[in-house]
Amino acid sequence: VHRRRLCWRTALTAWYLLVLGLVIATFSAALYWDQEQTLSAQVDRSLAGASGQVLALIDKHVDPIKFVDGDAYRHATNHLGQTGYAVLLFDPERRVLARFGRALQLPADIGTTGLATTGLATIDAKVEGVEEPWRVSWQPVVRHDGVTVGYLAVGQSVEAIEQALHSLLLTLA
């Protein structure tokens, strides 16, 4: 009888540990996923705001397009440069016309990557000779008559976010 009670206790303890382990693993996975989604959304909102600000500084009626030099341009270049953004202005053939902020080097195959269309993409890019992950907003610059006169790329490094998520994963594991 004593032996049978021990088997039941062992079985119940094993089930309890299994259920507890599943609950903790589910909670950890949900926490990690939530943090990843929150940080990604924050970066995307930040890029959308910066892109909108920079798009307003482009003179679309000259050939080739260029940034309008004025107080707003100087303020934007100073602010976005200090906060770690990279801004690149391209002609319709995707040749760089102007840049400010961090010295982001986009991949040579920019026309065939995920950046070939409007939107956001995470890419590995070189900054000051070091390859790191960047989130880049890529959008066409369209004149009032509907003609695409160039492209604007605004990027932000996500290296710190990836490191934070990796640390969180190690903590939860």
Side-chain angles (χ1 to χ4, degrees), residues 55 67 75 140 152:
L55 199 55
F67 291 113
H75 174 73
L152 175 67

Side-chain angles (χ1 to χ4, degrees), residues 78 102 160:
N78 187 35
R102 294 196 53 200

Side-chain angles (χ1 to χ4, degrees), residues 2-172:
H2 177 66
R3 191 168 182 127
R4 187 175 219 185
R5 211 178 307 157
L6 185 61
C7 290
W8 277 101
R9 285 182 184 165
T10 304
L12 285 174
T13 301
W15 275 107
Y16 173 76
L17 290 175
L18 177 67
V19 169
L20 182 63
L22 288 173
V23 167
I24 290 172
T26 302
F27 174 76
S28 297
L31 179 64
Y32 180 85
W33 181 82
D34 180 64
Q35 287 301 303
E36 182 179 44
Q37 295 301 309
T38 300
L39 292 171
S40 294
Q42 185 177 0
V43 168
D44 290 351
R45 279 191 307 274
S46 175
L47 282 172
S51 294
Q53 181 182 7
V54 173
L55 199 55
L57 301 172
I58 298 173
D59 185 354
K60 303 170 190 126
H61 303 289
V62 295
D63 189 26
I65 58 175
K66 65 178 184 175
F67 291 113
V68 177
D69 192 15
D71 289 339
Y73 172 74
R74 285 187 286 283
H75 174 73
T77 57
N78 187 35
H79 173 71
L80 294 174
Q82 286 179 352
T83 52
Y85 288 91
V87 177
L88 295 97
L89 185 62
F90 296 88
D91 67 6
E93 288 76 39
R94 292 181 170 85
R95 292 182 300 247
V96 177
L97 297 172
R99 66 173 59 222
F100 64 85
R102 294 196 53 200
L104 177 66
Q105 296 172 348
L106 293 175
D109 60 348
I110 190 170
T112 59
T113 63
L115 290 177
T117 58
T118 302
L120 295 160
T122 302
I123 62 167
D124 287 327
K126 286 192 177 183
V127 178
E128 296 153 5
V130 178
E131 192 165 292
E132 58 185 55
W134 277 69
R135 188 80 170 148
V136 178
S137 166
W138 176 263
Q139 59 188 9
V141 177
V142 181
R143 224 174 26 212
H144 70 282
D145 59 359
V147 175
T148 299
V149 292
Y151 294 92
L152 175 67
V154 179
Q156 185 177 25
S157 175
V158 291
E159 179 73 22
I161 291 171
E162 287 194 359
Q163 287 176 355
L165 287 173
H166 181 71
S167 293
L168 177 63
L169 184 63
L170 292 177
T171 301
L172 294 175

